[in-house]
PDB file of all heavy atoms in Angstrom:
ATOM      1  N   ASP A 138      88.626  18.318 -40.494  1.00 98.00           N
ATOM      2  CA  ASP A 138      87.386  18.887 -39.963  1.00 98.00           C
ATOM      3  C   ASP A 138      86.279  17.839 -40.067  1.00 98.00           C
ATOM      4  O   ASP A 138      85.562  17.774 -41.072  1.00 98.00           O
ATOM      5  CB  ASP A 138      87.022  20.153 -40.745  1.00 98.00           C
ATOM      6  CG  ASP A 138      85.868  20.924 -40.118  1.00 98.00           C
ATOM      7  OD1 ASP A 138      85.137  20.332 -39.292  1.00 98.00           O
ATOM      8  OD2 ASP A 138      85.693  22.108 -40.465  1.00 98.00           O
ATOM      9  N   THR A 139      86.147  17.026 -39.025  1.00 98.00           N
ATOM     10  CA  THR A 139      85.161  15.945 -39.049  1.00 98.00           C
ATOM     11  C   THR A 139      83.728  16.472 -39.047  1.00 98.00           C
ATOM     12  O   THR A 139      82.822  15.810 -39.557  1.00 98.00           O
ATOM     13  CB  THR A 139      85.373  14.991 -37.859  1.00 98.00           C
ATOM     14  OG1 THR A 139      85.437  15.752 -36.646  1.00 98.00           O
ATOM     15  CG2 THR A 139      86.659  14.212 -38.022  1.00 98.00           C
ATOM     16  N   ARG A 140      83.523  17.654 -38.486  1.00 97.00           N
ATOM     17  CA  ARG A 140      82.184  18.253 -38.512  1.00 97.00           C
ATOM     18  C   ARG A 140      81.783  18.578 -39.953  1.00 97.00           C
ATOM     19  O   ARG A 140      80.658  18.307 -40.379  1.00 97.00           O
ATOM     20  CB  ARG A 140      82.149  19.512 -37.642  1.00 97.00           C
ATOM     21  CG  ARG A 140      80.776  20.186 -37.595  1.00 97.00           C
ATOM     22  CD  ARG A 140      80.834  21.452 -36.739  1.00 97.00           C
ATOM     23  NE  ARG A 140      81.053  21.116 -35.345  1.00 97.00           N
ATOM     24  CZ  ARG A 140      80.073  20.869 -34.474  1.00 97.00           C
ATOM     25  NH1 ARG A 140      78.816  20.911 -34.874  1.00 97.00           N
ATOM     26  NH2 ARG A 140      80.349  20.588 -33.228  1.00 97.00           N
ATOM     27  N   TYR A 141      82.708  19.131 -40.715  1.00 98.00           N
ATOM     28  CA  TYR A 141      82.420  19.478 -42.106  1.00 98.00           C
ATOM     29  C   TYR A 141      82.203  18.216 -42.945  1.00 98.00           C
ATOM     30  O   TYR A 141      81.286  18.155 -43.775  1.00 98.00           O
ATOM     31  CB  TYR A 141      83.560  20.314 -42.689  1.00 98.00           C
ATOM     32  CG  TYR A 141      83.306  20.803 -44.098  1.00 98.00           C
ATOM     33  CD1 TYR A 141      82.342  21.771 -44.345  1.00 98.00           C
ATOM     34  CD2 TYR A 141      84.022  20.286 -45.171  1.00 98.00           C
ATOM     35  CE1 TYR A 141      82.097  22.233 -45.630  1.00 98.00           C
ATOM     36  CE2 TYR A 141      83.779  20.727 -46.466  1.00 98.00           C
ATOM     37  CZ  TYR A 141      82.818  21.695 -46.690  1.00 98.00           C
ATOM     38  OH  TYR A 141      82.566  22.137 -47.971  1.00 98.00           O
ATOM     39  N   ILE A 142      83.031  17.200 -42.719  1.00 98.00           N
ATOM     40  CA  ILE A 142      82.882  15.934 -43.455  1.00 98.00           C
ATOM     41  C   ILE A 142      81.526  15.307 -43.150  1.00 98.00           C
ATOM     42  O   ILE A 142      80.840  14.792 -44.038  1.00 98.00           O
ATOM     43  CB  ILE A 142      84.032  14.968 -43.100  1.00 98.00           C
ATOM     44  CG1 ILE A 142      85.376  15.550 -43.543  1.00 98.00           C
ATOM     45  CG2 ILE A 142      83.805  13.600 -43.750  1.00 98.00           C
ATOM     46  CD1 ILE A 142      86.578  14.782 -43.017  1.00 98.00           C
ATOM     47  N   THR A 143      81.130  15.360 -41.875  1.00 98.00           N
ATOM     48  CA  THR A 143      79.827  14.813 -41.476  1.00 98.00           C
ATOM     49  C   THR A 143      78.693  15.544 -42.188  1.00 98.00           C
ATOM     50  O   THR A 143      77.739  14.910 -42.673  1.00 98.00           O
ATOM     51  CB  THR A 143      79.660  14.922 -39.955  1.00 98.00           C
ATOM     52  OG1 THR A 143      80.666  14.134 -39.308  1.00 98.00           O
ATOM     53  CG2 THR A 143      78.283  14.444 -39.524  1.00 98.00           C
ATOM     54  N   LYS A 144      78.782  16.858 -42.267  1.00 97.00           N
ATOM     55  CA  LYS A 144      77.744  17.630 -42.962  1.00 97.00           C
ATOM     56  C   LYS A 144      77.682  17.255 -44.441  1.00 97.00           C
ATOM     57  O   LYS A 144      76.592  17.179 -45.035  1.00 97.00           O
ATOM     58  CB  LYS A 144      77.996  19.122 -42.786  1.00 97.00           C
ATOM     59  CG  LYS A 144      77.702  19.638 -41.382  1.00 97.00           C
ATOM     60  CD  LYS A 144      77.936  21.144 -41.286  1.00 97.00           C
ATOM     61  CE  LYS A 144      77.571  21.666 -39.909  1.00 97.00           C
ATOM     62  NZ  LYS A 144      77.808  23.125 -39.781  1.00 97.00           N
ATOM     63  N   LEU A 145      78.838  17.012 -45.045  1.00 97.00           N
ATOM     64  CA  LEU A 145      78.853  16.592 -46.444  1.00 97.00           C
ATOM     65  C   LEU A 145      78.106  15.275 -46.629  1.00 97.00           C
ATOM     66  O   LEU A 145      77.294  15.122 -47.548  1.00 97.00           O
ATOM     67  CB  LEU A 145      80.301  16.425 -46.929  1.00 97.00           C
ATOM     68  CG  LEU A 145      81.071  17.670 -47.334  1.00 97.00           C
ATOM     69  CD1 LEU A 145      82.509  17.302 -47.682  1.00 97.00           C
ATOM     70  CD2 LEU A 145      80.404  18.353 -48.527  1.00 97.00           C
ATOM     71  N   ILE A 146      78.392  14.312 -45.743  1.00 97.00           N
ATOM     72  CA  ILE A 146      77.750  13.009 -45.842  1.00 97.00           C
ATOM     73  C   ILE A 146      76.253  13.122 -45.572  1.00 97.00           C
ATOM     74  O   ILE A 146      75.437  12.463 -46.224  1.00 97.00           O
ATOM     75  CB  ILE A 146      78.412  12.001 -44.881  1.00 97.00           C
ATOM     76  CG1 ILE A 146      79.875  11.772 -45.287  1.00 97.00           C
ATOM     77  CG2 ILE A 146      77.661  10.676 -44.854  1.00 97.00           C
ATOM     78  CD1 ILE A 146      80.677  10.924 -44.312  1.00 97.00           C
ATOM     79  N   ARG A 147      75.874  13.960 -44.616  1.00 96.00           N
ATOM     80  CA  ARG A 147      74.451  14.157 -44.322  1.00 96.00           C
ATOM     81  C   ARG A 147      73.716  14.744 -45.532  1.00 96.00           C
ATOM     82  O   ARG A 147      72.581  14.377 -45.830  1.00 96.00           O
ATOM     83  CB  ARG A 147      74.271  15.091 -43.120  1.00 96.00           C
ATOM     84  CG  ARG A 147      74.423  14.412 -41.777  1.00 96.00           C
ATOM     85  CD  ARG A 147      74.119  15.404 -40.660  1.00 96.00           C
ATOM     86  NE  ARG A 147      72.768  15.926 -40.767  1.00 96.00           N
ATOM     87  CZ  ARG A 147      71.711  15.398 -40.147  1.00 96.00           C
ATOM     88  NH1 ARG A 147      71.860  14.343 -39.377  1.00 96.00           N
ATOM     89  NH2 ARG A 147      70.516  15.939 -40.287  1.00 96.00           N
ATOM     90  N   ASN A 148      74.363  15.668 -46.232  1.00 96.00           N
ATOM     91  CA  ASN A 148      73.703  16.351 -47.346  1.00 96.00           C
ATOM     92  C   ASN A 148      73.746  15.545 -48.637  1.00 96.00           C
ATOM     93  O   ASN A 148      72.773  15.553 -49.400  1.00 96.00           O
ATOM     94  CB  ASN A 148      74.355  17.716 -47.577  1.00 96.00           C
ATOM     95  CG  ASN A 148      74.098  18.686 -46.441  1.00 96.00           C
ATOM     96  OD1 ASN A 148      73.080  18.597 -45.756  1.00 96.00           O
ATOM     97  ND2 ASN A 148      75.032  19.602 -46.213  1.00 96.00           N
ATOM     98  N   LYS A 149      74.858  14.858 -48.863  1.00 95.00           N
ATOM     99  CA  LYS A 149      75.029  14.154 -50.141  1.00 95.00           C
ATOM    100  C   LYS A 149      74.856  12.643 -50.022  1.00 95.00           C
ATOM    101  O   LYS A 149      74.761  11.945 -51.030  1.00 95.00           O
ATOM    102  CB  LYS A 149      76.413  14.464 -50.721  1.00 95.00           C
ATOM    103  CG  LYS A 149      76.627  15.921 -51.058  1.00 95.00           C
ATOM    104  CD  LYS A 149      77.950  16.128 -51.775  1.00 95.00           C
ATOM    105  CE  LYS A 149      78.114  17.577 -52.199  1.00 95.00           C
ATOM    106  NZ  LYS A 149      79.366  17.804 -52.980  1.00 95.00           N
ATOM    107  N   GLY A 150      74.839  12.133 -48.796  1.00 94.00           N
ATOM    108  CA  GLY A 150      74.724  10.697 -48.590  1.00 94.00           C
ATOM    109  C   GLY A 150      76.088  10.046 -48.453  1.00 94.00           C
ATOM    110  O   GLY A 150      77.135  10.669 -48.712  1.00 94.00           O
ATOM    111  N   CYS A 151      76.093   8.789 -48.009  1.00 94.00           N
ATOM    112  CA  CYS A 151      77.343   8.045 -47.890  1.00 94.00           C
ATOM    113  C   CYS A 151      78.049   8.028 -49.235  1.00 94.00           C
ATOM    114  O   CYS A 151      77.422   7.807 -50.273  1.00 94.00           O
ATOM    115  CB  CYS A 151      77.069   6.606 -47.434  1.00 94.00           C
ATOM    116  SG  CYS A 151      76.329   6.499 -45.801  1.00 94.00           S
ATOM    117  N   MET A 152      79.331   8.290 -49.209  1.00 96.00           N
ATOM    118  CA  MET A 152      80.084   8.305 -50.469  1.00 96.00           C
ATOM    119  C   MET A 152      81.413   7.592 -50.282  1.00 96.00           C
ATOM    120  O   MET A 152      81.901   7.423 -49.161  1.00 96.00           O
ATOM    121  CB  MET A 152      80.292   9.731 -50.955  1.00 96.00           C
ATOM    122  CG  MET A 152      81.153  10.601 -50.073  1.00 96.00           C
ATOM    123  SD  MET A 152      81.301  12.290 -50.731  1.00 96.00           S
ATOM    124  CE  MET A 152      79.834  13.042 -50.058  1.00 96.00           C
ATOM    125  N   ASN A 153      81.966   7.152 -51.380  1.00 98.00           N
ATOM    126  CA  ASN A 153      83.260   6.492 -51.346  1.00 98.00           C
ATOM    127  C   ASN A 153      84.368   7.521 -51.164  1.00 98.00           C
ATOM    128  O   ASN A 153      84.196   8.712 -51.445  1.00 98.00           O
ATOM    129  CB  ASN A 153      83.502   5.709 -52.634  1.00 98.00           C
ATOM    130  CG  ASN A 153      82.522   4.573 -52.818  1.00 98.00           C
ATOM    131  OD1 ASN A 153      81.913   4.112 -51.855  1.00 98.00           O
ATOM    132  ND2 ASN A 153      82.359   4.103 -54.044  1.00 98.00           N
ATOM    133  N   GLY A 154      85.506   7.041 -50.702  1.00 98.00           N
ATOM    134  CA  GLY A 154      86.643   7.924 -50.515  1.00 98.00           C
ATOM    135  C   GLY A 154      87.932   7.154 -50.400  1.00 98.00           C
ATOM    136  O   GLY A 154      87.942   5.913 -50.363  1.00 98.00           O
ATOM    137  N   LEU A 155      89.027   7.869 -50.343  1.00 98.00           N
ATOM    138  CA  LEU A 155      90.370   7.295 -50.291  1.00 98.00           C
ATOM    139  C   LEU A 155      91.161   7.969 -49.176  1.00 98.00           C
ATOM    140  O   LEU A 155      91.133   9.192 -49.043  1.00 98.00           O
ATOM    141  CB  LEU A 155      91.078   7.519 -51.636  1.00 98.00           C
ATOM    142  CG  LEU A 155      92.584   7.237 -51.701  1.00 98.00           C
ATOM    143  CD1 LEU A 155      92.837   5.736 -51.720  1.00 98.00           C
ATOM    144  CD2 LEU A 155      93.199   7.890 -52.941  1.00 98.00           C
ATOM    145  N   ILE A 156      91.844   7.167 -48.362  1.00 98.00           N
ATOM    146  CA  ILE A 156      92.817   7.684 -47.397  1.00 98.00           C
ATOM    147  C   ILE A 156      94.191   7.288 -47.897  1.00 98.00           C
ATOM    148  O   ILE A 156      94.448   6.102 -48.190  1.00 98.00           O
ATOM    149  CB  ILE A 156      92.578   7.126 -45.983  1.00 98.00           C
ATOM    150  CG1 ILE A 156      91.203   7.534 -45.452  1.00 98.00           C
ATOM    151  CG2 ILE A 156      93.665   7.638 -45.022  1.00 98.00           C
ATOM    152  CD1 ILE A 156      90.881   6.950 -44.083  1.00 98.00           C
ATOM    153  N   THR A 157      95.091   8.248 -48.005  1.00 97.00           N
ATOM    154  CA  THR A 157      96.409   7.991 -48.566  1.00 97.00           C
ATOM    155  C   THR A 157      97.431   8.965 -47.975  1.00 97.00           C
ATOM    156  O   THR A 157      97.065  10.036 -47.484  1.00 97.00           O
ATOM    157  CB  THR A 157      96.385   8.147 -50.106  1.00 97.00           C
ATOM    158  OG1 THR A 157      97.674   7.862 -50.649  1.00 97.00           O
ATOM    159  CG2 THR A 157      95.946   9.541 -50.521  1.00 97.00           C
ATOM    160  N   THR A 158      98.690   8.571 -48.030  1.00 97.00           N
ATOM    161  CA  THR A 158      99.770   9.489 -47.663  1.00 97.00           C
ATOM    162  C   THR A 158     100.434  10.062 -48.919  1.00 97.00           C
ATOM    163  O   THR A 158     101.373  10.836 -48.819  1.00 97.00           O
ATOM    164  CB  THR A 158     100.840   8.771 -46.815  1.00 97.00           C
ATOM    165  OG1 THR A 158     101.320   7.624 -47.534  1.00 97.00           O
ATOM    166  CG2 THR A 158     100.263   8.326 -45.479  1.00 97.00           C
ATOM    167  N   HIS A 159      99.936   9.676 -50.087  1.00 95.00           N
ATOM    168  CA  HIS A 159     100.488  10.163 -51.365  1.00 95.00           C
ATOM    169  C   HIS A 159      99.734  11.401 -51.817  1.00 95.00           C
ATOM    170  O   HIS A 159      98.508  11.443 -51.785  1.00 95.00           O
ATOM    171  CB  HIS A 159     100.390   9.065 -52.429  1.00 95.00           C
ATOM    172  CG  HIS A 159     100.926   9.487 -53.769  1.00 95.00           C
ATOM    173  ND1 HIS A 159     102.273   9.566 -54.037  1.00 95.00           N
ATOM    174  CD2 HIS A 159     100.283   9.855 -54.919  1.00 95.00           C
ATOM    175  CE1 HIS A 159     102.447   9.955 -55.287  1.00 95.00           C
ATOM    176  NE2 HIS A 159     101.259  10.139 -55.841  1.00 95.00           N
ATOM    177  N   HIS A 160     100.472  12.402 -52.230  1.00 95.00           N
ATOM    178  CA  HIS A 160      99.835  13.620 -52.741  1.00 95.00           C
ATOM    179  C   HIS A 160      99.612  13.480 -54.247  1.00 95.00           C
ATOM    180  O   HIS A 160     100.561  13.321 -55.021  1.00 95.00           O
ATOM    181  CB  HIS A 160     100.711  14.850 -52.469  1.00 95.00           C
ATOM    182  CG  HIS A 160     100.138  16.117 -53.023  1.00 95.00           C
ATOM    183  ND1 HIS A 160      99.050  16.740 -52.461  1.00 95.00           N
ATOM    184  CD2 HIS A 160     100.487  16.869 -54.107  1.00 95.00           C
ATOM    185  CE1 HIS A 160      98.747  17.816 -53.146  1.00 95.00           C
ATOM    186  NE2 HIS A 160      99.612  17.924 -54.160  1.00 95.00           N
ATOM    187  N   TYR A 161      98.349  13.525 -54.662  1.00 95.00           N
ATOM    188  CA  TYR A 161      98.001  13.400 -56.078  1.00 95.00           C
ATOM    189  C   TYR A 161      97.789  14.788 -56.678  1.00 95.00           C
ATOM    190  O   TYR A 161      96.942  15.552 -56.227  1.00 95.00           O
ATOM    191  CB  TYR A 161      96.719  12.574 -56.248  1.00 95.00           C
ATOM    192  CG  TYR A 161      96.899  11.097 -55.964  1.00 95.00           C
ATOM    193  CD1 TYR A 161      96.621  10.571 -54.698  1.00 95.00           C
ATOM    194  CD2 TYR A 161      97.335  10.229 -56.959  1.00 95.00           C
ATOM    195  CE1 TYR A 161      96.767   9.215 -54.438  1.00 95.00           C
ATOM    196  CE2 TYR A 161      97.489   8.862 -56.708  1.00 95.00           C
ATOM    197  CZ  TYR A 161      97.202   8.367 -55.450  1.00 95.00           C
ATOM    198  OH  TYR A 161      97.355   7.030 -55.204  1.00 95.00           O
ATOM    199  N   ASP A 162      98.566  15.103 -57.710  1.00 92.00           N
ATOM    200  CA  ASP A 162      98.374  16.374 -58.415  1.00 92.00           C
ATOM    201  C   ASP A 162      97.176  16.301 -59.347  1.00 92.00           C
ATOM    202  O   ASP A 162      96.445  17.276 -59.511  1.00 92.00           O
ATOM    203  CB  ASP A 162      99.633  16.729 -59.215  1.00 92.00           C
ATOM    204  CG  ASP A 162     100.814  17.032 -58.306  1.00 92.00           C
ATOM    205  OD1 ASP A 162     100.607  17.741 -57.298  1.00 92.00           O
ATOM    206  OD2 ASP A 162     101.929  16.568 -58.600  1.00 92.00           O
ATOM    207  N   ASP A 163      96.978  15.127 -59.949  1.00 94.00           N
ATOM    208  CA  ASP A 163      95.857  14.918 -60.868  1.00 94.00           C
ATOM    209  C   ASP A 163      94.907  13.901 -60.238  1.00 94.00           C
ATOM    210  O   ASP A 163      95.303  12.752 -59.963  1.00 94.00           O
ATOM    211  CB  ASP A 163      96.377  14.402 -62.210  1.00 94.00           C
ATOM    212  CG  ASP A 163      95.261  14.227 -63.236  1.00 94.00           C
ATOM    213  OD1 ASP A 163      94.091  14.513 -62.906  1.00 94.00           O
ATOM    214  OD2 ASP A 163      95.572  13.788 -64.364  1.00 94.00           O
ATOM    215  N   LEU A 164      93.671  14.297 -60.003  1.00 95.00           N
ATOM    216  CA  LEU A 164      92.721  13.437 -59.308  1.00 95.00           C
ATOM    217  C   LEU A 164      91.836  12.613 -60.248  1.00 95.00           C
ATOM    218  O   LEU A 164      91.017  11.823 -59.773  1.00 95.00           O
ATOM    219  CB  LEU A 164      91.812  14.277 -58.402  1.00 95.00           C
ATOM    220  CG  LEU A 164      92.475  14.969 -57.210  1.00 95.00           C
ATOM    221  CD1 LEU A 164      91.414  15.737 -56.414  1.00 95.00           C
ATOM    222  CD2 LEU A 164      93.179  13.958 -56.311  1.00 95.00           C
ATOM    223  N   SER A 165      91.972  12.789 -61.549  1.00 95.00           N
ATOM    224  CA  SER A 165      91.030  12.149 -62.475  1.00 95.00           C
ATOM    225  C   SER A 165      91.024  10.634 -62.341  1.00 95.00           C
ATOM    226  O   SER A 165      89.950  10.005 -62.208  1.00 95.00           O
ATOM    227  CB  SER A 165      91.340  12.562 -63.917  1.00 95.00           C
ATOM    228  OG  SER A 165      92.697  12.275 -64.236  1.00 95.00           O
ATOM    229  N   ASP A 166      92.194  10.001 -62.358  1.00 96.00           N
ATOM    230  CA  ASP A 166      92.255   8.540 -62.231  1.00 96.00           C
ATOM    231  C   ASP A 166      91.857   8.087 -60.831  1.00 96.00           C
ATOM    232  O   ASP A 166      91.207   7.053 -60.662  1.00 96.00           O
ATOM    233  CB  ASP A 166      93.671   8.038 -62.556  1.00 96.00           C
ATOM    234  CG  ASP A 166      94.000   8.153 -64.031  1.00 96.00           C
ATOM    235  OD1 ASP A 166      93.042   8.243 -64.838  1.00 96.00           O
ATOM    236  OD2 ASP A 166      95.193   8.166 -64.389  1.00 96.00           O
ATOM    237  N   VAL A 167      92.245   8.865 -59.824  1.00 96.00           N
ATOM    238  CA  VAL A 167      91.914   8.525 -58.439  1.00 96.00           C
ATOM    239  C   VAL A 167      90.409   8.550 -58.230  1.00 96.00           C
ATOM    240  O   VAL A 167      89.827   7.609 -57.658  1.00 96.00           O
ATOM    241  CB  VAL A 167      92.592   9.508 -57.464  1.00 96.00           C
ATOM    242  CG1 VAL A 167      92.163   9.216 -56.030  1.00 96.00           C
ATOM    243  CG2 VAL A 167      94.096   9.432 -57.590  1.00 96.00           C
ATOM    244  N   LEU A 168      89.747   9.589 -58.700  1.00 97.00           N
ATOM    245  CA  LEU A 168      88.298   9.696 -58.527  1.00 97.00           C
ATOM    246  C   LEU A 168      87.569   8.588 -59.282  1.00 97.00           C
ATOM    247  O   LEU A 168      86.522   8.108 -58.840  1.00 97.00           O
ATOM    248  CB  LEU A 168      87.808  11.065 -58.989  1.00 97.00           C
ATOM    249  CG  LEU A 168      88.249  12.248 -58.120  1.00 97.00           C
ATOM    250  CD1 LEU A 168      87.801  13.568 -58.738  1.00 97.00           C
ATOM    251  CD2 LEU A 168      87.704  12.115 -56.703  1.00 97.00           C
ATOM    252  N   LYS A 169      88.121   8.158 -60.404  1.00 97.00           N
ATOM    253  CA  LYS A 169      87.526   7.052 -61.147  1.00 97.00           C
ATOM    254  C   LYS A 169      87.590   5.768 -60.315  1.00 97.00           C
ATOM    255  O   LYS A 169      86.612   5.021 -60.217  1.00 97.00           O
ATOM    256  CB  LYS A 169      88.249   6.857 -62.482  1.00 97.00           C
ATOM    257  CG  LYS A 169      87.655   5.773 -63.370  1.00 97.00           C
ATOM    258  CD  LYS A 169      88.360   5.748 -64.720  1.00 97.00           C
ATOM    259  CE  LYS A 169      87.726   4.715 -65.651  1.00 97.00           C
ATOM    260  NZ  LYS A 169      87.905   3.339 -65.196  1.00 97.00           N
ATOM    261  N   ARG A 170      88.752   5.520 -59.704  1.00 97.00           N
ATOM    262  CA  ARG A 170      88.910   4.326 -58.855  1.00 97.00           C
ATOM    263  C   ARG A 170      87.980   4.387 -57.653  1.00 97.00           C
ATOM    264  O   ARG A 170      87.376   3.383 -57.258  1.00 97.00           O
ATOM    265  CB  ARG A 170      90.361   4.193 -58.382  1.00 97.00           C
ATOM    266  CG  ARG A 170      91.329   3.699 -59.429  1.00 97.00           C
ATOM    267  CD  ARG A 170      92.643   3.260 -58.798  1.00 97.00           C
ATOM    268  NE  ARG A 170      93.413   4.370 -58.296  1.00 97.00           N
ATOM    269  CZ  ARG A 170      93.925   4.447 -57.071  1.00 97.00           C
ATOM    270  NH1 ARG A 170      93.694   3.477 -56.190  1.00 97.00           N
ATOM    271  NH2 ARG A 170      94.644   5.483 -56.706  1.00 97.00           N
ATOM    272  N   ILE A 171      87.883   5.556 -57.061  1.00 98.00           N
ATOM    273  CA  ILE A 171      87.015   5.735 -55.893  1.00 98.00           C
ATOM    274  C   ILE A 171      85.553   5.468 -56.275  1.00 98.00           C
ATOM    275  O   ILE A 171      84.823   4.768 -55.567  1.00 98.00           O
ATOM    276  CB  ILE A 171      87.169   7.150 -55.312  1.00 98.00           C
ATOM    277  CG1 ILE A 171      88.565   7.334 -54.716  1.00 98.00           C
ATOM    278  CG2 ILE A 171      86.106   7.422 -54.253  1.00 98.00           C
ATOM    279  CD1 ILE A 171      88.872   8.761 -54.280  1.00 98.00           C
ATOM    280  N   HIS A 172      85.130   6.026 -57.392  1.00 96.00           N
ATOM    281  CA  HIS A 172      83.738   5.888 -57.826  1.00 96.00           C
ATOM    282  C   HIS A 172      83.375   4.434 -58.118  1.00 96.00           C
ATOM    283  O   HIS A 172      82.247   4.000 -57.875  1.00 96.00           O
ATOM    284  CB  HIS A 172      83.505   6.745 -59.071  1.00 96.00           C
ATOM    285  CG  HIS A 172      82.099   6.668 -59.592  1.00 96.00           C
ATOM    286  ND1 HIS A 172      81.044   7.280 -58.950  1.00 96.00           N
ATOM    287  CD2 HIS A 172      81.577   6.024 -60.674  1.00 96.00           C
ATOM    288  CE1 HIS A 172      79.930   7.034 -59.626  1.00 96.00           C
ATOM    289  NE2 HIS A 172      80.230   6.283 -60.672  1.00 96.00           N
TER     290      HIS A 172
END
Side-chain angles (χ1 to χ4, degrees):
D138 189 342
T139 51
R140 181 182 292 271
Y141 184 70
I142 297 170
T143 297
K144 288 182 177 179
L145 279 176
I146 296 173
R147 278 184 60 93
N148 292 332
K149 297 187 176 183
C151 297
M152 65 181 85
N153 296 339
L155 168 75
I156 298 177
T157 181
T158 56
H159 180 76
H160 177 73
Y161 288 94
D162 293 317
D163 183 0
L164 293 181
S165 55
D166 289 340
V167 176
L168 291 175
K169 183 175 183 294
R170 284 195 290 129
I171 293 172
H172 180 73

